[in-house]
Amino acid sequence: MPVPGSSGCRLRGDRHLRLRLRSQSLRLRSQSLRLRSQSLWLGADLLDSPPMLRLIPIVLCLAHSTLAANPAARIRRPVDIALSPNGRHVLVANRRSGSVSVIDRVSRRVVSEVTLGKRLSALATVPDRNWVLAADEAAGELIGVQCGERLEVAWRLKVADYPVSLAASRDGTRAVVGSLWSRRLTLVDWTSSGKPRHVRTLDLPFAAGQLLELPDGRWLVASTFGGRLAVCDPHLRQPPLIRSLLGVNIGRMTVSADRHSVLIPHQLLDAKAETTRGGVHWGGVMLNVIRTIGIDAISGDPDRLESRLGLDYVGIPDRAAGDPVAIALGRENLRVVLLAGVHELVTSTDGIQYYGRQAVGLGPSAMALDGDGTRAWVADRFSDSVSLVRLSPLEVLATIRLGPPTKLTAVDRGEQLFHDSRLSSDGWISCRSCHTRGHSNGGLSDTLGDGGFGAPKKVLSLLGSGQTGPWAWNGEVKSLAEQISKSVQLTMRGEAIAPSGAADIAAYLKSLPAAPALARARGTHNPAAVARGRAVFSRVGCAKCHVPPLFTSRRTYDVGLADEVGRREFNPPSLRGVSQREGLLHDNRARNLGEVIGRFGHGPQRPLEAGERDDLLRFLESL
């Protein structure tokens, strides 16, 4: 006999059960949508996983994705990469986001991301230590990062401003940090407990770029912009040995297998080559090379560095190889080179025939090789990804996205185009090739920028140039986008760039501030001398052509110095950041500001007394 009221109870119970099931179904559907969203950027790598991983049910793979990192949609711009001390992870330093992404080497997934600073620029492991070092360019810090269950900041140490490169010694006892605009090296060591110590700072005559420890413990330092090298003793106690290199844009170097030579990727800008279509097509204007130079020759045979001896050319007409930025040695001395401008990794067994070419992500900036030298992990700067590449035979095994894609601004798109050699004929030259970091490689080029050939001009800095029109040495280009279009077609000999592309590059250039003054970057400027120099600058007529606050003007002036075809009138470049330029005047005839004022008598309308001259130089160096 049914219990009175039991039917109604069952109905209410069934309704509640249906509501609970529906609620759970909605929650599951919501989770499924989130998992599906994550799988859109993770799933592309699944087919590249090892066979055993492919046997894992897809539900478990998606569950793993949820439990692992859940990266935000933001731009990261990876610029350096290293294997973790225990070898289980790949660590990626992201410039824009100030974070380090952690990739599991087996699953090839991002398992975590930790924000360490403002603008990371370099990453290095330390032998026999369970931590890595990271440089923060914006904060001027070296960061010690403990590698445990998760990355944790162990310490922060102030170094010379604008750190951009980093190398730890092979014995794990110290590290050197290279700083860009302050032109300094900082030596750091640590106690047995791991406490860091700032040992000393060494001034350089150029902006510090790539670093390499030589087999005898000395440090080889490359200029970021022009072709200069410094050899420094292990503890930075002595003045550096400075050498000139025939070349520009020196990339990440490595020591040869026999430990007797250094392999240096760089470019060669020929000042006398005409930028005709044939001149660019045949590699006459800009060559991309790997230089092999004996370590003894760096110290004892400077003439060899300024010759074309020991050069292996990368790329050929119809398939050029713009912007070699790094070289490493794989198994059996296989040369592995990153070509950032054409977005490729290339390999060679003999250094002559770069027969193996593999497309990777956009703007490969750095690589870390597995311990056996058979695979490379490549940081793809403009794809926000890492490519895992098998080196022989060449094949991309996986593309690991560091986060979901996000919408790019005009500045973001312009930065990417600025670094893309495919804008030029065959891919020989990017905008970056001449304007490294938006600045200048310091060389001369006959670009048609002044309306004709026969008078090579200095490559100008583009930092702060968005505010200082008109453009070109003769001041005849009234629009920055027009100047960009002209450069792509007449200098780089590429196809006509779309107006939207020129506008994007212009937006990127307008976002770049002027280079900081050397004295301010070092904290050595003298306010009293600067104030006196400012008065001299105005009193002797410098401000007539270099009008504050931009320290230029829209007119052209007869400067009393003719070029090779007799031109004497030039538009004055802005003096902001002038202390960061190597070579001055339209043809680099002046080595420094002192020669501009003294030897060439440029600027002041009357001779200066010694005190006035010194104060004027201090003022110019403060801009």
Side-chain angles (χ1 to χ4, degrees):
M1 179 179 294
V3 178
S6 62
S7 176
C9 290
R10 282 197 304 273
L11 290 173
R12 286 194 297 271
D14 290 345
R15 187 182 302 114
H16 289 161
L17 178 60
R18 286 195 298 272
L19 289 173
R20 285 197 300 272
L21 289 174
R22 183 180 180 186
S23 176
Q24 290 175 359
S25 175
L26 290 174
R27 284 197 300 272
L28 289 172
R29 183 179 180 186
S30 176
Q31 292 174 1
S32 175
L33 289 173
R34 286 197 300 270
L35 291 173
R36 182 180 178 187
S37 175
Q38 291 176 1
S39 70
L40 288 177
W41 65 273
L42 286 171
D45 302 327
L46 187 59
L47 295 178
D48 294 317
S49 299
M52 185 169 291
L53 287 179
R54 291 201 293 266
L55 296 177
I56 300 175
I58 187 66
V59 174
L60 293 181
C61 289
L62 291 174
H64 174 73
S65 300
T66 305
L67 294 173
N70 186 19
R74 57 177 176 172
I75 295 176
R76 290 166 172 79
R77 293 287 192 260
V79 293
D80 211 350
I81 191 165
L83 299 183
S84 65
N86 62 17
R88 293 199 296 267
H89 298 98
V90 177
L91 310 178
V92 186
N94 300 313
R95 175 178 175 81
R96 181 79 71 86
S97 59
S99 63
V100 170
S101 298
V102 182
I103 298 172
D104 183 273
R105 288 179 65 202
V106 176
S107 66
R108 304 172 187 174
R109 299 287 186 271
V110 176
V111 295
S112 66
E113 182 177 7
V114 180
T115 299
L116 298 181
K118 299 177 181 179
R119 189 165 67 240
L120 299 189
S121 55
L123 196 65
T125 55
V126 182
D128 302 323
R129 295 280 182 177
N130 192 34
W131 33 271
V132 298
L133 303 175
D136 186 342
E137 182 180 353
E141 291 181 338
L142 179 65
I143 307 170
V145 184
Q146 192 73 32
C147 299
E149 290 295 321
R150 62 189 303 273
L151 299 185
E152 294 182 353
V153 174
W155 48 262
R156 298 177 185 271
L157 185 69
K158 181 67 179 175
V159 295
D161 282 350
Y162 305 99
V164 295
S165 56
L166 177 60
S169 63
R170 285 184 301 277
D171 61 9
T173 62
R174 60 192 180 278
V176 169
V177 182
S179 292
L180 183 73
W181 300 120
S182 59
R183 300 188 177 191
R184 283 178 162 169
L185 299 180
T186 304
L187 178 67
V188 175
D189 67 8
W190 32 81
T191 64
S192 57
S193 63
K195 183 178 180 180
R197 300 182 298 193
H198 182 158
V199 180
R200 65 179 52 85
T201 299
L202 180 68
D203 289 347
L204 294 173
F206 55 73
Q210 300 300 333
L211 289 164
L212 179 69
E213 187 186 24
L214 298 174
D216 60 6
R218 293 181 298 166
W219 304 99
L220 183 63
V221 190
S223 170
T224 297
F225 303 112
R228 287 203 278 176
L229 298 169
V231 182
C232 305
D233 69 275
H235 298 281
L236 306 188
R237 292 193 178 101
Q238 304 298 322
L241 175 67
I242 305 299
R243 290 287 184 255
S244 294
L245 177 79
L246 180 65
V248 296
N249 293 331
I250 301 171
R252 295 170 188 252
M253 307 168 284
T254 193
V255 175
S256 63
D258 63 10
R259 314 294 287 171
H260 295 316
S261 301
V262 175
L263 281 68
I264 305 175
H266 66 87
Q267 294 178 292
L268 281 173
L269 175 63
D270 190 337
K272 297 180 180 180
E274 294 185 357
T275 51
T276 60
R277 183 167 297 279
V280 175
H281 172 78
W282 292 104
V285 175
M286 183 74 75
L287 287 171
N288 303 286
V289 303
I290 304 297
R291 181 186 294 268
T292 302
I293 182 74
I295 294 173
D296 291 341
I298 296 175
S299 301
D301 187 10
D303 291 342
R304 186 176 178 86
L305 285 167
E306 297 190 68
S307 73
R308 294 201 176 199
L309 296 175
L311 296 184
D312 297 321
Y313 299 93
V314 189
I316 57 175
D318 294 322
R319 194 167 185 196
D323 294 346
V325 296
I327 185 170
L329 293 180
R331 189 169 66 180
E332 298 179 352
N333 299 329
L334 182 72
R335 292 186 178 192
V336 186
V337 180
L338 295 184
L339 303 176
V342 292
H343 320 297
E344 292 180 343
L345 178 150
V346 301
T347 60
S348 172
T349 56
D350 57 12
I352 300 174
Q353 297 297 323
Y354 283 84
Y355 58 85
R357 300 184 65 157
Q358 175 62 58
V360 290
L362 297 178
S365 58
M367 60 181 155
L369 268 56
D370 277 343
D372 61 0
T374 62
R375 304 189 305 175
W377 301 83
V378 180
D380 302 320
R381 180 177 178 184
F382 296 112
S383 295
D384 270 1
S385 64
V386 169
S387 297
L388 174 59
V389 183
R390 185 178 61 204
L391 300 178
S392 183
L394 273 173
E395 181 186 2
V396 173
L397 300 176
T399 299
I400 304 153
R401 295 168 181 82
L402 300 180
T406 188
K407 185 176 180 180
L408 300 179
T409 66
V411 171
D412 300 327
R413 296 191 301 269
E415 181 185 17
Q416 182 174 318
L417 287 172
F418 187 85
H419 290 81
D420 198 327
S421 298
R422 296 174 302 182
L423 289 181
S424 70
S425 175
D426 297 337
W428 286 107
I429 314 169
S430 68
C431 302
R432 171 262 181 196
S433 299
C434 288
H435 301 283
T436 317
R437 283 181 167 262
H439 189 45
S440 167
N441 62 19
L444 304 178
S445 185
D446 211 349
T447 65
L448 265 182
D450 55 5
F453 288 123
K457 297 295 190 295
K458 177 181 176 61
V459 175
L460 289 171
S461 174
L462 297 180
L463 299 178
S465 66
Q467 302 173 298
T468 57
W471 291 269
W473 274 101
N474 57 12
E476 292 185 357
V477 181
K478 308 305 180 185
S479 158
L480 185 54
E482 178 189 351
Q483 177 62 46
I484 291 163
S485 298
K486 184 177 179 181
S487 295
V488 170
Q489 287 188 269
L490 296 183
T491 302
M492 300 164 66
R493 293 291 165 174
E495 300 297 327
I497 187 172
S500 59
D504 286 345
I505 296 177
Y508 170 62
L509 295 180
K510 290 175 182 178
S511 75
L512 301 178
L518 175 59
R520 295 184 185 277
R522 288 181 172 175
T524 59
H525 72 287
N526 182 329
V530 168
R532 294 193 301 268
R534 184 185 296 273
V536 174
F537 182 84
S538 178
R539 188 166 61 245
V540 301
C542 300
K544 176 184 175 182
C545 302
H546 297 279
V547 183
L550 299 179
F551 295 94
T552 183
S553 73
R554 302 189 67 83
R555 296 176 55 196
T556 58
Y557 301 89
D558 185 337
V559 299
L561 301 170
D563 65 15
E564 289 85 343
V565 296
R567 296 187 189 90
R568 299 173 62 90
E569 292 190 352
F570 303 100
N571 177 251
S574 172
L575 294 178
R576 295 183 302 168
V578 68
S579 59
Q580 298 288 2
R581 297 172 196 167
E582 299 181 15
L584 297 166
L585 300 178
H586 68 272
D587 56 2
N588 275 346
R589 69 178 67 184
R591 292 175 297 179
N592 51 51
L593 286 167
E595 285 196 352
V596 171
I597 296 170
R599 179 182 173 188
F600 297 103
H602 178 74
Q605 297 172 346
R606 63 171 175 80
L608 299 178
E609 297 179 359
E612 287 182 311
R613 180 179 179 277
D614 289 344
D615 288 341
L616 178 58
L617 288 176
R618 299 296 85 77
F619 170 66
L620 294 174
E621 291 167 354
S622 75
L623 297 177

